[in-house]
Amino acid sequence: MAHHSVSLDGIPVAGIADRTLVHPADRPTQLPAGHTNAVGLTLGLIGDEWNLLIMRYAVLGARRYSDWRKALPISHAVLTRRLALLTEMAIFERVEYQERARRFEYRLTKRGRDLWPVLLTIWAWESVWVPEHVESLPRMVHRRCGQEFLPVFGCAACGQAARPRDVTGGFGPSGTWERSAPAATTRRRSNTSVEGQAGMFPQTMALVGNRWSAALLGAAFLGSHRFGEFEQRLGAPPTIIADRLRVFCELGVFEQEPSAERPDWLSYHLTEKGHAFFPVVMTAIDWGQRWFRAAEGPALFYTHRACGKDFQVQLTCDGCAVPLRGNEVLVERGT
C-alpha cells in the first residue's frame, strides 16, 4: 500500500524548503477591550467539529471546495459558512486559481499552520483514549527519527515533561469566566445522518464542543471539585452543571468520590483520562493567546512549578526526545 506524507503544518514534504507566505495572518489580531477574549475565540473555533474536520483535511492536502465535499458528509450551506468563518479568522487565505469562470481555493496561512500542536494533541488523545474510532486516525511519524510517536507535553523554558499538577495559573487582565466562553453554545451537527462515518472526534467534542463543557473542564483544571464550586464559577443553571458532570463521568473523564467535608456530598475529580486531555487544552490556549491579543492583556497566565518560569508549551517526540516542529511531523495516509 502506497502512502502520501505531508507535514503537520499542511505543507507537502517536498515543498518545505520553498515555503514563503506573506499574509496579514502573520500578525496577531488585536481584540477590543471588554469583549470575548482569546480563550473564548479559540474554544469557539476548535469546539466546532466541522472546523476541526475541515482543518484536518486541509493538513492532508484539501484546498478546493470540491476536496472537502468529497471527503466529508457535509452540506453545501455548512461548508460554505465554515470556510467563510475560517477565512475571516485568517486560518485560511482565499486565493483565485482560475480567472475564467472564477474559482478559488483555500490555503492555510501561517496562523492556520500554527494550529498543528492542537491537532496533534487531539489526535494523540483520541488514539490512546477513544478506542471506538470507526476509522484509524492518521499515522504520525517524526521525520527526524523516522519513528511513529506520541507527543510528550512539557515546558519550553526548562525542557521538562509536565503534568497538570506541575502547572499553576489563573486569570490575567482580560480573563473572566464570561469572556472566556464562546459567545453562544456551539452548534454541533446531528449524528443521525452521519452515524458511523469516519474521521470524527466524538469525545473531544463532548469535552469542548459546548460552552458549558469547556468551562467546566477548565474549572476542573483550575481546582474545582464540588458541584457548588462549578456552579459558582460558571454561573450556569444547576441542571446544566448536573448534566455535564454526568456526561464527564460516563466518559471516564471525571470520577465521583464522597466529599472529605461531608460524606453525603459528592466530589468530582479528573481521572487519568481527564488529566491526559490537559495538553489539548493548553496547546489551544497557547495558540489563542499568541494570535489574539486583548487590549487589557492576556486572559490566562501559567507558571511551571519546577522551574518557576512562565509556562510555554513544548511538545517532544517520545522516541528521540527532540522537540517537535510542524514541518517534521509527517501525516501518513494510505491509498
Side-chain angles (χ1 to χ4, degrees):
M1 179 179 290
H3 288 272
H4 293 296
S5 295
V6 294
S7 61
L8 193 52
D9 58 4
I11 302 297
V13 173
I16 290 173
D18 302 325
R19 176 176 63 189
T20 56
L21 179 64
V22 178
H23 188 271
D26 288 357
R27 298 186 296 274
T29 297
Q30 302 300 315
L31 303 177
H35 288 244
T36 301
N37 62 28
V39 176
L41 286 171
T42 303
L43 288 175
L45 174 70
I46 69 167
D48 183 291
E49 192 169 14
W50 283 128
N51 286 342
L52 283 180
L53 290 169
I54 288 168
M55 288 187 286
R56 168 186 171 171
Y57 283 98
V59 166
L60 295 176
R63 295 289 182 272
R64 299 178 182 178
Y65 186 93
S66 58
D67 295 335
W68 284 291
R69 285 300 303 270
K70 290 177 183 177
L72 294 170
I74 189 171
S75 71
H76 167 78
V78 172
L79 179 57
T80 298
R81 285 198 300 269
R82 294 307 193 278
L83 289 174
L85 171 66
L86 292 168
T87 301
E88 182 181 350
M89 293 188 70
I91 304 299
F92 287 147
E93 178 185 25
R94 188 169 180 260
V95 179
E96 185 176 20
Y97 70 88
Q98 179 178 301
E99 292 185 7
R100 184 179 179 181
R102 297 181 70 191
R103 296 182 183 276
F104 296 85
E105 62 183 16
Y106 296 84
R107 301 176 186 172
L108 285 165
T109 62
K110 179 180 179 181
R111 181 181 302 193
R113 296 195 305 271
D114 200 34
L115 275 162
W116 72 264
V118 183
L119 292 173
L120 177 60
T121 52
I122 289 173
W123 276 324
W125 186 80
E126 293 258 348
S127 68
V128 172
W129 294 101
V130 189
E132 59 268 31
H133 270 283
V134 175
E135 176 192 46
S136 297
L137 292 170
R139 183 172 177 262
M140 299 294 173
V141 174
H142 188 204
R143 190 162 172 253
R144 179 76 67 91
C145 66
Q147 299 299 313
E148 193 168 359
F149 74 97
L150 287 173
V152 177
F153 177 78
C155 171
C158 65
Q160 294 185 33
R163 290 178 58 83
R165 63 172 177 265
D166 301 323
V167 181
T168 183
F171 283 126
S174 65
T176 64
W177 291 108
E178 293 77 16
R179 294 180 64 181
S180 300
T185 302
T186 303
R187 181 179 178 182
R188 295 181 60 195
R189 56 184 175 77
S190 169
N191 289 328
T192 56
S193 62
V194 292
E195 186 69 25
Q197 290 288 342
M200 312 307 175
F201 301 99
Q203 294 197 19
T204 294
M205 287 301 99
L207 299 183
V208 298
N210 174 285
R211 66 180 306 194
W212 299 120
S213 295
L216 188 141
L217 185 66
F221 280 123
L222 289 174
S224 295
H225 298 295
R226 297 198 305 271
F227 188 100
E229 291 174 335
F230 291 118
E231 186 179 13
Q232 182 180 11
R233 284 189 166 185
L234 274 59
T239 53
I240 290 179
I241 300 295
D243 178 69
R244 294 296 89 194
L245 290 172
R246 176 188 58 79
V247 170
F248 281 20
C249 288
E250 289 177 354
L251 292 174
V253 173
F254 280 4
E255 59 185 358
Q256 292 179 343
E257 297 178 2
S259 173
E261 298 178 12
R262 282 181 50 176
D264 58 328
W265 287 355
L266 288 175
S267 182
Y268 296 87
H269 296 270
L270 288 158
T271 62
E272 184 180 358
K273 179 179 180 178
H275 284 299
F277 199 75
F278 190 60
V280 176
V281 174
M282 291 299 291
T283 53
I285 292 172
D286 181 68
W287 177 85
Q289 295 202 139
R290 278 187 286 110
W291 289 104
F292 297 97
R293 306 279 178 84
E296 306 94 324
L300 292 163
F301 65 90
Y302 292 95
T303 302
H304 187 208
R305 294 180 188 273
C307 67
K309 295 184 178 179
D310 291 343
F311 185 82
Q312 293 185 356
V313 173
Q314 176 177 276
L315 300 177
T316 59
C317 172
D318 68 343
C320 64
V322 171
L324 297 169
R325 299 173 61 89
N327 60 9
E328 293 178 347
V329 176
L330 305 186
V331 184
E332 294 193 351
R333 56 174 178 166
T335 60

